[in-house]
Amino acid sequence: ADWYNPIIQHGEVDFRDPRRDHEHGRIWRVTGKAQSSKLKAQNLTLLTTPALLDRTLSKSGWEQEQSRVVLRQRGAEKVLPAVKPWLAKQTDPRAKLEAMWLHEAFERPADSFVSELVTAPDERLRMAAARQLSR
């Protein structure tokens, strides 16, 4: 929802001002029609470390980022030992990227992940590896 009005419409300008837009409405809330489309908030702190690692590959951007936050809060000693076994089970190429980012977040860069991602078929993974190498 994007539009331009020449005046601020919070009551600072008279409601009868001719510059006020009387033809367009505002969108206050956008929701799905079906009740099933609503996501239920989860307490991610209750999940195991491998489950949180799985959530970093979720289709939900919110779930990805919140999982990364919880993983960082748990600390390197609890999280990094779980990364290699988790990575061995993954088929999604983004898993190596998530592992690289986790190591970076804990200030323990993993050159092996960067080396693998530099030659990845997906250009986005190669770009992330190049960014990592520039640091």
Side-chain angles (χ1 to χ4, degrees):
D2 189 16
W3 74 91
Y4 168 77
N5 279 325
I7 61 171
I8 299 171
Q9 296 201 52
H10 296 289
E12 292 89 347
V13 177
D14 185 15
F15 288 105
R16 291 182 212 87
D17 190 300
R19 296 172 296 161
R20 193 174 284 278
D21 185 351
H22 294 282
E23 295 177 22
H24 300 92
R26 293 184 180 206
I27 297 175
W28 293 98
R29 184 175 179 183
V30 177
T31 61
K33 290 182 180 181
Q35 290 293 335
S36 63
S37 68
K38 292 184 179 178
L39 294 174
K40 293 184 173 53
Q42 282 190 325
N43 185 352
L44 297 178
T45 61
L46 300 176
L47 296 177
T48 64
T49 298
L52 283 170
L53 289 168
D54 286 340
R55 300 289 173 103
T56 63
L57 301 174
S58 169
K59 290 183 181 181
S60 164
W62 180 89
E63 201 170 56
Q64 289 175 13
E65 190 55 40
Q66 294 307 309
S67 297
R68 291 179 193 124
V69 168
V70 174
L71 286 167
R72 286 190 305 267
Q73 289 171 345
R74 288 191 179 175
E77 292 73 28
K78 291 183 180 178
V79 173
L80 293 182
V83 171
K84 274 197 178 181
W86 172 77
L87 201 53
K89 299 175 188 173
Q90 298 304 313
T91 57
D92 189 336
R94 291 183 314 131
K96 290 179 185 170
L97 181 62
E98 291 293 339
M100 180 185 74
W101 284 340
L102 263 175
H103 279 80
E104 179 65 23
F106 291 126
E107 296 181 359
R108 297 183 185 175
D111 295 335
S112 61
F113 296 132
V114 178
S115 299
E116 290 179 44
L117 291 172
V118 166
T119 60
D122 187 334
E123 67 274 2
R124 294 171 297 181
L125 299 177
R126 291 193 308 267
M127 184 172 57
R131 236 183 263 128
Q132 188 70 25
L133 287 170
S134 71
R135 292 184 181 163

